[in-house]
């Protein structure tokens, strides 16, 4: 593999830009997930984006943008507009910007023909085999669109397809390896030591506040990525020992919320914890309506530990299926620790599992009272020695957020029961 | 409400830009969902974005961008950087671009103080009450950050918070109403006749292919929005009769997949169909692990119709909970129409509901065989007169996609059972 013609001054301080192209990104049709893909690929090299610009499928405007970017950036990733239709103008715009002709690349056309075999590609796919003079095609194993790279005005451009899977393939197989070669040739070790911490039950700003109170470690860079269930913290620096010291300090101020190192998500960790001890998992859900089971079974291989669940949304279902006594419901209400306890025990018995977890709460927007406002959620865990834990938590946010956080708390409660750890504190 | 100082030439052909600001949008932390929110809000006025640019929290670079945009656009929406921390530089950048001072707005500060009551806002929240001379603050009922608008070089800028809920609130309560007033004052009826069609069980490209074969109606604009469960098609034109004729043509070529008009999603329509007939719903799930119940209960008010569900992930759970006979499982396998039938009947009996729906399939990545490849899913519906339908479908895509599409098919099967419509064809 040859390194692209990058300028030798392209270092950690390089100016890197992203252009995402296509009407669909501006008219409310498509959410742009490609920026994340590109940013994360660059991050592995210690590079980061300065700017992203999105244009409609307008050849002249895009050509102008290529020229503008070439004056201020060292590297530019471009996504979109490499398809076979007349909307796809990226390559033509680059030829216009560079003031060169498009030439037919027989090798790329052969790949496209092979991809369609035994059918013949439609005539308009020939467009995808045309590349600007001076550019190098980047073959793809996914999709028909080749990528390409070329140098314009001292800036290296990678033109990549906008289809997410195809873009990712090009990033993984061409862009990152080529840039790594280039950076290594410059004697720049780009990969910086990084520690990832996974956190549950605490928001980004609350955690940031605790971290900001730590002694200033300006040489450790902190990144936050909030997911539906949990929060990933990345700590990156130049000195591995500094990063390690800082990680330990974060683990201390985030005690009870930092659940481990590495990039595995909460649901994966739960499956792993159960699998490691040969234990089985069952669910009893009310306000989450099945989301706990759906989340856990989103992990491939969850069948090793997950047996099933009871979704007892209506009170009659809590009684008929889980054996929650009507008198209990009448006295304490469905959203109560007593009910959560009875649901977990009922599910454990019925599903014949080692550990069953229950969720009952008020997800909103309706159903809240002064005593039990929207966001009140009770979570119970029943294990081989009876009820292992039952806790009431008060969650903030809209219905879906309350449901997701309920699932996160329930999964974490199950994980702690398996690991015999103290249960998660209530919301701070 | 006063209309903002928009230039009179701002029409359907107005140049509209979006600036999204914040390091987190460029370093791989946060996916940008705000572009969709802004694009969809503008669409209701017949306006669309020409360009979107994203910058880091860099006051001078952002000020430069404001000046550049003011030279080429009539309207610019800006999101992000209005928070109370030093990263939040948007307002200061605007003061720099306009070469004006920041002044303290007592009314906005009073609102912030009221919002924190009975606590006192931290001192750094005072930053949020400072606005550039010549700008007008836009109060918010959600979050502490006021928005603001001002005119710079003939372009109207709206500066809005980047927190999604707060941005949406400002769009709904300030930006769209103000622009509507302005456009009406210019005598421009901005709202173009639009028909929305909701489709299930067909992909965007397959539907597009059918629609492209229709007689060319260049004056009807077609938009596709693929969701997790369904696909929204928007047909927009200038002449309501043309749009209506085209909608009928699409309904004809999409027969069996177009499930209705309007913007309500599939899950909402299912709840509505059951509620309208006073019927109750129950679920029996295997490979979806609870996702059917979770999806239905994502609709506020689902408790009117949804009683509960059984997640029988392991075969023993299918037998113990739903009464699926071990001999049936041994002979036909868990992924079979016979099993789907037994699961639906078992759930209907157990949950005492009018209609129960079952899903059993192979979501992948493992578990496929030559006879039953990954994506094979059986869906059963049991009603008051026995089994109403049972169907095997072959779904494409990764695990999560197969699970989502299984839920979509099951919900649509339930809706059709309630409406006594023919069941959805298998995948095309």
């Amino acid at each position: 593999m040859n390194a692209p013609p990058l300028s030798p001054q392209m270092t950690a301080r390089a100016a890197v830009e992203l252009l995402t192209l296509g009407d669909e990104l501006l008219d409310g049709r498509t959410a742009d997930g490609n920026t994340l893909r590109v940013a994360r690929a660059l991050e592995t090299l210690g590079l980061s984006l300065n700017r992203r610009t999105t244009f409609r499928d307008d050849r002249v405007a895009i050509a102008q943008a290529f020229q503008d970017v070439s004056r201020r950036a060292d590297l530019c990733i471009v996504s979109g507009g490499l398809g076979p239709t007349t909307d796809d103008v990226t390559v033509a715009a680059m030829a216009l910007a560079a003031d060169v002709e498009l030439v037919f690349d027989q090798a790329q056309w052969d790949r496209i023909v092979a991809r369609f075999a035994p059918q013949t590609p439609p005539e308009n796919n020939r467009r995808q085999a045309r590349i600007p003079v001076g550019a190098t095609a980047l073959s793809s194993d996914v999709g028909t669109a080749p990528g390409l790279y070329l140098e314009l005005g001292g800036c290296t451009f990678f033109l990549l397809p906008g289809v997410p899977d195809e873009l990712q393939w090009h990033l993984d197989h061409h862009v990152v390896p080529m840039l790594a070669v280039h950076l290594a040739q410059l004697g720049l070790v780009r990969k910086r030591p990084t520690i990832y911490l996974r956190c549950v039950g605490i928001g980004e700003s609350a955690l940031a506040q605790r971290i900001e109170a730590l002694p200033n470690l300006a040489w450790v860079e902190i990144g936050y990525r909030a997911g539906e269930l949990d929060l990933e913290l990345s700590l990156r620096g130049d000195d591995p020992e500094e990063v390690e010291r800082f990680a330990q300090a974060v683990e201390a101020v985030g005690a009870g919320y930092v659940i481990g190192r590495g990039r595995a998500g909460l649901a994966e960790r739960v499956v792993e914890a159960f699998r490691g001890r040969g234990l089985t998992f069952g669910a009893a859900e009310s306000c989450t309506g099945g989301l706990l089971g759906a989340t856990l079974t989103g992990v491939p291989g969850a069948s090793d530990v997950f047996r099933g669940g009871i979704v007892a949304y209506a009170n009659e279902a809590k009684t008929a299926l889980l054996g929650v006594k009507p008198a209990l419901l009448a006295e304490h209400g469905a959203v109560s620790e007593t009910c959560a306890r009875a649901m977990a025990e009922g599910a454990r018995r019925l599903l014949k599992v080692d550990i069953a977890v229950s969720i009952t709460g008020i997800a909103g927007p309706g159903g809240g009272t002064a005593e039990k406002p929207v966001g009140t959620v009770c979570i119970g865990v029943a294990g081989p020695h009876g009820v292992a834990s039952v806790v009431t938590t008060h969650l903030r946010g809209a219905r879906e957020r309350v449901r997701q956080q309920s699932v996160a708390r329930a999964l974490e409660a199950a994980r702690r029961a398996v690991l015999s750890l103290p249960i998660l504190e209530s919301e701070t």
Side-chain angles (χ1 to χ4, degrees), chain A:
Chain A
M1 170 176 310
N2 295 316
L6 286 160
S7 71
Q9 65 268 36
M10 203 192 77
T11 68
R13 304 243 169 257
V16 186
E17 295 203 16
L18 170 64
L19 295 179
T20 57
L21 307 178
D23 284 358
E24 72 280 8
L25 297 170
L26 290 172
D27 63 12
R29 265 185 287 163
T30 303
D32 169 20
N34 285 345
T35 301
L36 279 187
R37 291 182 185 88
V38 171
R40 292 180 181 179
L42 292 174
E43 186 188 42
T44 64
L45 298 160
L47 297 172
S48 65
L49 292 170
N50 287 35
R51 188 187 295 200
R52 167 189 62 177
T53 318
T54 306
F55 287 93
R56 290 186 169 267
D57 303 312
D58 174 333
R59 189 162 61 113
V60 175
I62 294 172
Q64 178 69 54
F66 286 154
Q67 292 184 347
D68 292 346
V69 170
S70 74
R71 285 186 209 105
R72 59 179 188 240
D74 303 303
L75 171 66
C76 181
I77 310 291
V78 182
S79 75
L82 299 187
T85 72
T86 52
D87 286 353
D88 293 303
V89 300
T90 301
V91 173
M94 182 50 87
L96 187 63
D99 196 17
V100 297
E101 298 291 309
L102 289 172
V103 290
F104 185 76
D105 184 321
Q106 185 65 42
Q108 290 306 320
W109 179 241
D110 292 345
R111 290 186 70 95
I112 293 171
V113 170
R115 199 169 167 82
F116 272 87
Q119 271 139 38
T120 308
E123 195 54 27
N124 58 5
N125 278 84
R126 291 182 78 90
R127 287 169 55 90
Q128 296 186 303
R130 287 155 57 91
I131 68 169
V133 171
T136 305
L138 300 169
S139 301
S140 175
D141 284 2
V142 292
T144 55
L148 59 87
Y149 73 86
L150 86 173
E151 190 267 340
L152 176 69
C155 177
T156 298
F157 286 81
F158 282 92
L159 274 51
L160 308 176
V163 179
D165 291 352
E166 299 185 33
L167 175 75
Q168 191 65 57
W169 196 93
H170 275 282
L171 291 170
D172 294 344
H173 293 82
H174 291 303
V175 179
V176 170
M178 289 169 91
L179 290 175
V181 167
H182 170 81
L183 293 163
Q185 282 171 352
L186 294 179
L188 298 166
V189 178
R190 306 295 327 140
K191 186 106 187 173
R192 300 167 74 203
T194 305
I195 292 175
Y196 293 96
L197 300 176
R198 183 70 48 168
C199 311
V200 172
I202 188 164
E204 180 174 332
S205 58
L207 185 60
Q209 209 164 19
R210 292 178 182 218
I211 291 174
E212 280 160 18
L214 288 172
N216 192 4
L217 278 176
W219 48 89
V220 178
E221 209 178 284
I222 308 166
Y224 298 86
R225 278 185 198 156
E228 289 177 357
L229 300 179
D230 51 19
L231 177 69
E232 184 185 89
L233 200 64
S234 61
L235 307 175
R236 178 171 288 120
D238 292 312
D239 175 0
E241 284 180 28
E242 282 301 338
V243 177
E244 173 61 35
R245 258 199 297 279
F246 195 65
Q248 289 179 11
V250 172
E251 284 166 335
V253 295
Y257 301 107
V258 178
I259 66 166
R261 293 191 177 189
R263 307 204 69 175
L266 174 60
E268 263 176 275
R269 287 172 196 260
V270 171
V271 170
E272 204 34 68
F274 274 77
R275 187 192 279 131
R277 282 160 182 76
L279 297 174
T280 55
F281 184 108
E285 306 186 54
S286 180
C287 63
T288 46
L291 191 61
L292 173 58
T295 302
L296 201 65
T297 57
V299 179
S303 53
D304 292 349
V305 308
F306 184 69
R307 286 288 168 268
I310 307 294
V311 182
Y313 207 61
N315 278 356
E316 308 85 76
K318 292 183 184 71
T319 299
L321 301 179
L322 292 169
V324 180
K325 297 207 169 66
L328 182 161
L329 289 167
E331 190 182 349
H332 301 279
V335 180
S336 63
E337 296 192 1
T338 323
C339 181
R341 186 188 300 266
M343 286 172 65
E345 284 177 329
R348 184 170 180 275
R349 202 168 49 234
L350 207 57
L351 295 160
K352 300 189 176 65
V353 290
D354 296 306
I355 292 182
V357 181
S358 66
I359 302 174
T360 175
I362 302 156
T369 63
E371 199 198 342
K372 293 177 185 173
V374 167
T376 305
V377 179
C378 303
I379 290 165
V381 180
H385 312 297
V387 170
S389 75
V390 57
V391 68
T392 303
T393 185
H394 299 278
L395 301 167
R396 284 185 292 255
R399 181 178 178 88
E400 212 44 39
R401 180 77 191 152
V402 169
R403 284 157 42 97
Q404 287 166 350
Q405 280 301 304
S406 300
V407 167
R409 304 309 170 91
L411 286 172
E412 179 57 7
R415 201 184 68 93
R416 288 179 185 224
V418 167
L419 302 180
S420 303
L421 293 170
I423 62 166
L424 188 66
E425 298 167 32
S426 189
E427 177 103 334
T428 55

